Amino acid sequence: MLLIDPIVLENAHVHLEPLDDRHAPDLAAASAGLEHTWYTSVPTPAGIDDEIARRRAMQDAGTMNAWAIVREGTAVGMTTFCGIDQANRHVEIGYTWLALSAQRTAVNTAAKLLLLGHAFDACAAIAVEFRTHWHNRQSRQAIARLGAKQDGVLRNHRLGPGGTLRDTVVFSILPHEWPAVCLGLEERLRRG
């Protein structure tokens, strides 16, 4: 299976559905009230339609595989395989955001378990990467809790809003690490 192939992924906690316009009303409601800080890329409720279109265009170009994160029939966030390098079986999991009601629940852990399992088990990935802004401490901590190891910091990696410079923290999980990471994520879900 290819990293770009649209597929529904599901477990007892969440469904990851290929991102579609039908998810827009739920996602607009889900993004309401989120802290739209200068170092995150969460769309505003009014920007959901444009963000869905942007992600679907990137999917059509072969660089992104986008999902809606669905809990109990309602889309509560988005996530993607991005930076897809099929020839080298390398992918990044990113552009993830969750509604306030889904944060600090099993949703993120369950979604990452599905994405990592799909990348390693179905797509034979040789590396799965996560990237976040240096100033996004919540994201850095969440990535480390998944079991990813920090590879390093790309300094002055991107230009941000108002010309600010972004330092990007890079984490990864490799195939030989996946079995232990998988067990850890499954245990976290069992404990609730």
Side-chain angles (χ1 to χ4, degrees), residues 37-116:
T37 61
W38 59 273
Y39 57 77
T40 64
S41 59
V42 178
T44 64
I48 289 292
D49 290 335
D50 289 342
E51 182 61 12
I52 290 172
R54 185 182 77 81
R55 291 182 186 211
R56 291 181 69 197
M58 291 176 76
Q59 183 148 348
D60 291 344
T63 61
M64 180 178 279
N65 193 348
W67 286 275
I69 302 169
V70 179
R71 177 180 61 178
E72 298 173 356
T74 302
V76 295
M78 295 180 182
T79 193
T80 74
F81 278 174
C82 54
I84 295 172
D85 181 353
Q86 186 62 54
N88 290 300
R89 299 190 337 255
H90 188 279
V91 68
E92 177 186 345
I93 295 174
Y95 298 96
T96 302
W97 63 268
L98 293 171
L100 289 173
S101 64
Q103 293 178 14
R104 305 214 184 275
T105 69
V107 170
N108 188 52
T109 301
K112 293 303 190 290
L113 180 61
L114 289 169
L115 292 167
L116 288 163

Side-chain angles (χ1 to χ4, degrees), residues 134 140 144 148-153 169-172:
W134 172 262
R140 287 170 44 200
K149 292 185 172 61
Q150 183 174 322
D151 295 325
V153 180
V169 185
V170 181
F171 296 81
S172 67

